[in-house]
Amino acid sequence: MMNQLNNQDLLNSSLRRCLNDKYFFTAFYEHFHQSSPEIAALFDKTDMVRLNKMMEVSLFSIIAASESNGDNDQDLVDIAQAHKGRNIKPEFYKYWEISLLATVAECDPEFDDNTRKAWKHVLARGVEFMAQY
Ligand code: HEM
């Protein structure tokens, strides 16, 4: 339990450092869109300023949900349900995970091996959760 709480603190701090970089989401979507032209096409008409604000909240939700016993999952259920019917192929979730990890590595000045492990764990769980819907 202690470890889990520490992990959550570590991730919240890492995410805050990333958010200090005003190009964090721009860089993330650049990575993500480059993974497949089909992904880029899905965001053709997206208001990215609005999306980035929602992504910020959802990343904190993924961190909270990953270490909880289900109490903090509702935000993620809502996001997962909103993604049904968006023509998202299963492998796109893997690209999402890879793109986010690469961007955190670039944007968090204190990124290290522990941070990488903690992010990998939490993103794998978040993506697995989303893919159930
Ligand atoms: C755990 C992974 C993911 C999280 C947490 C996440 C989070 C979000 C959030 C919070 C929004 C805005 C609210 C909404 O409209 O639902 C959104 C929109 C969207 N997401 Fe995701 N997403 C994830 C994975 C993906 C993947 C793999 C794709 C595949 C391409 C994707 C495509 C989209 C699209 C197309 C939109 C709508 C953009 C628009 O409004 O035009 N997402 N996502």
Side-chain angles (χ1 to χ4, degrees), residues 29-40 92 95-96 99:
Y29 280 107
E30 244 169 62
H31 281 296
F32 191 38
H33 292 182
Q34 276 165 14
S35 359
S36 154
E38 284 174 82
I39 292 180
F92 292 177
Y95 299 156
W96 189 94
S99 303

Side-chain angles (χ1 to χ4, degrees), residues 42-43 46 51 55 79 82-83 86 88 92-93 96 130:
L42 287 173
F43 291 94
T46 300
L51 181 62
M55 278 300 300
I79 296 166
H83 282 68
R86 278 191 171 137
I88 301 179
F92 292 177
Y93 282 100
W96 189 94
M130 295 275 291

Side-chain angles (χ1 to χ4, degrees), residues 12-25 52-53 55-57 59-60 107-109:
N12 283 325
S13 308
S14 171
L15 180 53
R16 271 189 227 103
R17 288 190 298 271
C18 287
L19 294 170
N20 278 336
D21 183 335
K22 63 179 179 173
Y23 295 113
F24 175 64
F25 285 115
N52 292 352
K53 292 217 176 79
M55 278 300 300
E56 178 174 331
V57 176
L59 289 176
F60 283 112
C107 295
D108 175 0

Side-chain angles (χ1 to χ4, degrees), residues 77-121:
V77 172
D78 293 344
I79 296 166
Q81 278 171 346
H83 282 68
K84 284 201 306 195
R86 278 191 171 137
N87 283 329
I88 301 179
K89 294 184 178 167
E91 67 264 30
F92 292 177
Y93 282 100
K94 193 71 208 164
Y95 299 156
W96 189 94
E97 194 181 329
I98 292 168
S99 303
L100 195 73
L101 193 64
T103 316
V104 171
E106 288 164 12
C107 295
D108 175 0
E110 292 175 38
F111 193 80
D112 61 11
D113 221 44
N114 263 348
T115 325
R116 174 187 302 280
K117 279 192 198 124
W119 274 108
K120 270 195 104 136
H121 172 78

